[in-house]
Structures are given as structure tokens and as C-alpha cells.
Amino acid sequence: MKKILLGLMLASGCLMASNGEEIYRKCVACHGAKGDKVAPGSKGNVKLAGLEKSYLIEQLKGYAAGTADNGGAKAIMYANMKAFKLTDADIEAVADYISKLPPVK
């Protein structure tokens, strides 16, 4: 019985874990379904697909704190991060998902 309960607890924890692909769906309007679009108002012709996970985490946490500044439409990202209310686990999951998208030339 204890093994069954432990198994159910572990399974439910996995189901509650953040899903980066699902979270990223909130971003496709500006960044494209494959991270292949340059977001409106952004500078530097940067596309998200394939960027390093650690860099993405740093930037997302900076936008959440209102401190990231890559120029362009940073106010949009500040507002989105407040509206989405992403946890650190969410940020990690979405950064992991984006980092694994094939880079776009």
C-alpha cells in the first residue's frame, strides 16, 4: 500500500511540473511558434530559438524584476512577465524548451 501511495505522489508531482512548451504558447504572437520571429520593437535581430538556457533564464528573471534592458519594447516584456506570473520553475521550463528549438538563421 505504501508503494502505491508513493507512486501516486511521484506521478502527481510530475503532472504539476512546469511544461515549457505550454508556457511558450503565450509567447508565439511575438516570437513565433518556433522562436523564429524577431519580436516587434526589439533590437538586434535576435530570434529566441536555440539561445542558451542560462541566458534565457537570466533575461526572463530580469524582465520579471523590471531590470532587463535589451532596448526596444522592453515594456511589453515587463507587462507580460507580470501578467503571466511565472514561477522560477516556469521560467526554467520555458527557457529549457526555447533553448532546444532549432536555431534559425
Side-chain angles (χ1 to χ4, degrees), residues 38-103:
V38 176
S42 65
K43 294 183 179 179
N45 200 32
V46 176
K47 299 171 185 165
L48 295 182
L51 290 176
E52 287 191 35
K53 180 179 174 180
S54 60
Y55 173 77
L56 292 164
I57 290 170
E58 176 187 335
Q59 292 302 304
L60 289 170
K61 286 184 176 186
Y63 284 124
T67 58
D69 185 359
N70 293 323
K74 63 186 176 199
I76 293 170
M77 284 299 297
Y78 294 161
N80 284 341
M81 291 302 288
K82 286 185 191 294
F84 298 159
K85 298 181 183 191
L86 300 180
T87 64
D88 285 347
D90 294 335
I91 289 172
E92 174 125 5
V94 75
D96 185 61
Y97 175 76
I98 294 167
S99 70
K100 292 177 181 171
L101 291 171

